[in-house]
């Protein structure tokens, strides 16, 4: 097998109904339920007009500035998929633009994640199709490879296996391992209920901050009186 130039089949993918249930859950709440240990890095920001993303990952490891395998992935992707590309974070050449986004929209995909740059930023910003990327440049891509499809990738330490769940909103991106997605949905709903009560307590003037002084006392913090 030619590592560096290979196209594999995805063996499993998170259920679309489960994925779409995360569209009502803030990424920050899910992140809290994952011990705040997982993130795709603050550089990858939403480039679209706003809105949440959730779907199974179709992964690509691409040569920086080259989108050959992204075009191939568009031929392979299923409705609801998120195409996730690790191109090393290089911003010299754009990996996708308005035309490829339009193709993804037509196919019913759920989003693009680019550890690299995009172009046609104005058109993408005016749309609602989720596009997360590290930057913008007008310089177009090469189409020579190498690259790999449906292999494990990592973006700033966040490991993404083919078929894992990718979610994103204005706060950024998060990958949920395939086996953990259902459990994390339930945990995130519990977290949301706790936060809803906190908001209600603030409105009622009954918000309890006693934990702050208790923590400072436990840490033996000097407090001048």
């Amino acid at each position: 097998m030619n590592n560096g130039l290979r196209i594999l089949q995805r063996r499993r993918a998170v259920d679309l109904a489960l994925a779409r249930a995360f569209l009502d859950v803030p990424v920050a709440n899910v992140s809290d339920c994952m011990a705040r240990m997982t993130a795709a890095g603050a550089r990858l920001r939403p480039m679209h007009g706003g809105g949440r993303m959730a779907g199974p990952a179709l992964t690509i490891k691409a040569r920086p500035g080259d989108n050959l395998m992204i075009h191939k992935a568009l031929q392979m992707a299923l409705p609801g998929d998120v195409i996730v590309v690790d191109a090393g974070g290089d911003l010299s050449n754009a990996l996708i633009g308005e035309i490829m986004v339009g193709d993804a929209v037509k196919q019913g995909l759920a989003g693009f994640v680019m550890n690299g740059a995009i172009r046609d930023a104005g058109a993408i910003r005016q749309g609602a199709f989720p596009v997360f990327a590290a930057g913008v440049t007008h310089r177009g891509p090469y189409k020579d490879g190498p690259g790999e499809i449906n292999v494990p990738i990592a973006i700033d330490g966040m490991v993404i296996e083919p078929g894992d769940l990718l979610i994103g909103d204005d706060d950024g991106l998060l990958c949920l391992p395939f086996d953990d997605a259902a459990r994390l949905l339930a945990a995130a709903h519990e977290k949301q209920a706790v936060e809803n009560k906190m908001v209600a307590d603030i409105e009622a003037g009954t918000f309890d901050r006693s934990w702050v002084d208790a923590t400072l006392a436990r840490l033996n913090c000097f407090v001048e009186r």
Side-chain angles (χ1 to χ4, degrees), residues 17-95:
L18 175 59
R20 287 167 179 156
F22 279 87
L23 293 172
D24 297 323
V25 180
V27 169
N29 285 358
V30 183
S31 179
D32 285 351
C33 296
M34 297 175 71
R36 306 176 176 91
M37 292 289 288
T38 301
R43 292 183 311 112
L44 269 65
R45 306 306 306 161
M47 299 291 177
H48 55 293
R52 293 176 178 168
M53 176 188 75
L58 194 165
T59 61
I60 303 170
K61 184 181 288 292
R63 178 169 68 91
D66 190 287
N67 74 357
L68 173 64
M69 289 300 180
I70 305 175
H71 281 283
K72 180 59 182 177
L74 281 169
Q75 294 179 338
M76 299 171 61
L78 300 175
D81 280 351
V82 175
I83 293 180
V84 189
V85 182
D86 177 21
D90 182 79
L91 304 181
S92 300
N93 298 80
L95 298 170

Side-chain angles (χ1 to χ4, degrees), residues 15-200:
D15 181 74
L16 279 184
L18 175 59
R20 287 167 179 156
F22 279 87
L23 293 172
D24 297 323
V25 180
V27 169
N29 285 358
V30 183
S31 179
D32 285 351
C33 296
M34 297 175 71
R36 306 176 176 91
M37 292 289 288
T38 301
R43 292 183 311 112
L44 269 65
R45 306 306 306 161
M47 299 291 177
H48 55 293
R52 293 176 178 168
M53 176 188 75
L58 194 165
T59 61
I60 303 170
K61 184 181 288 292
R63 178 169 68 91
D66 190 287
N67 74 357
L68 173 64
M69 289 300 180
I70 305 175
H71 281 283
K72 180 59 182 177
L74 281 169
Q75 294 179 338
M76 299 171 61
L78 300 175
D81 280 351
V82 175
I83 293 180
V84 189
V85 182
D86 177 21
D90 182 79
L91 304 181
S92 300
N93 298 80
L95 298 170
I96 63 168
E98 180 181 11
I99 291 174
M100 294 177 76
V101 168
D103 189 0
V105 171
K106 182 67 173 178
Q107 293 189 52
L109 305 191
F112 273 126
V113 174
M114 299 285 143
N115 189 17
I118 66 163
R119 67 178 181 179
D120 304 324
I124 290 171
R125 191 179 307 114
Q126 291 175 13
F129 183 80
V131 176
F132 293 79
V136 176
T137 180
H138 56 79
R139 292 173 57 178
Y142 299 100
K143 305 179 188 300
D144 305 307
E148 300 179 312
I149 296 178
N150 284 324
V151 296
I153 61 174
I155 300 176
D156 284 357
M158 185 177 77
V159 177
I160 306 162
E161 298 271 358
D164 283 351
L165 176 59
L166 253 292
I167 62 174
D169 63 16
D170 288 342
D171 286 336
L173 294 159
L174 188 60
C175 177
L176 286 62
F178 176 89
D179 291 326
D180 296 340
R183 174 184 63 80
L184 287 169
L185 179 62
H189 282 154
E190 291 178 7
K191 172 71 173 174
Q192 187 65 50
V194 170
E195 292 197 355
N196 289 343
K197 184 178 185 306
M198 292 169 67
V199 171

